[in-house]
């Protein structure tokens, strides 16, 4: 997986259309993330955001940074910063609402978050009758 990610990253540096470069970078970032190379994934998502800020994938890349920081690395401060930047830069993006939800639930265990909305303790045994 790392070799394929490196190949996509290398191909993105060759002359070509911006859309192709962005797609290659995005694939590389996803593959590095899948190989637990989160720092490399984050660095590539940063490249997308800085080099192609108007491209649709730039918003996706910024959202993914928040996701990685929160759900893979456990760095809630960096996750909050990424999600907040996402909302500020892309307030009309369909993921802006999701980014706000992610900010609201930073540091809250999933079980507790679900209980807030269902009113049920999801760890309690259910009565089958």
């Amino acid at each position: 997986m790392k070799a394929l990610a490196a190949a996509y990253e290398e191909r993105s540096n060759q002359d070509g259309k911006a859309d192709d470069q962005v797609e290659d970078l995005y694939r590389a970032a996803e593959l590095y993330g899948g190989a637990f190379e989160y720092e490399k994934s984050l660095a590539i998502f940063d490249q997308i955001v800085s080099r192609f800020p108007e491209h649709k994938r730039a918003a996706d890349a910024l959202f993914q940074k928040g996701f990685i920081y929160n759900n893979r690395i456990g760095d809630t401060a960096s996750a909050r910063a990424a999600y907040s930047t996402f909302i500020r830069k892309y307030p009309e993006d369909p993921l802006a609402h999701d980014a706000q939800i992610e900010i609201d639930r930073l540091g809250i265990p999933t079980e507790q978050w679900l209980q807030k909305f269902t009113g049920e303790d999801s760890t309690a045994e259910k009565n089958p009758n």
Side-chain angles (χ1 to χ4, degrees):
M1 203 177 312
K2 292 179 193 178
L4 184 57
Y8 275 119
E9 188 176 8
E10 177 64 30
R11 190 168 84 170
S12 76
N13 293 323
Q14 299 171 0
D15 289 336
K17 295 188 298 187
D19 283 342
D20 294 338
Q21 291 175 330
V22 172
E23 290 303 321
D24 286 342
L25 285 170
Y26 201 90
R27 285 186 196 106
E30 288 180 316
L31 288 166
Y32 279 128
F36 308 105
E37 296 280 341
Y38 301 124
E39 295 303 324
K40 285 185 179 181
S41 183
L42 290 167
I44 292 172
F45 282 137
D46 276 337
Q47 282 185 52
I48 294 169
V49 172
S50 64
R51 289 176 52 197
F52 307 96
E54 301 304 318
H55 196 281
K56 167 65 176 138
R57 287 293 201 175
D60 295 341
L62 192 50
F63 188 89
Q64 288 301 319
K65 284 183 59 180
F67 181 86
I68 291 170
Y69 278 125
N70 187 41
N71 297 294
R72 301 294 183 249
I73 297 175
D75 182 347
T76 56
S78 293
R80 180 180 307 279
Y83 287 134
S84 295
T85 301
F86 178 92
I87 292 168
R88 189 179 69 252
K89 288 180 81 167
Y90 308 104
E92 301 302 319
D93 190 279
L95 289 175
H97 180 260
D98 294 339
Q100 185 59 58
I101 290 171
E102 289 297 320
I103 289 171
D104 293 343
R105 72 178 288 265
L106 285 174
I108 300 172
T110 302
E111 296 291 329
Q112 186 178 349
W113 179 254
L114 290 174
Q115 184 178 3
K116 177 180 176 180
F117 288 102
T118 63
E120 297 179 7
D121 183 355
S122 60
T123 60
E125 289 188 41
K126 306 283 185 208
N127 184 353
N129 296 336

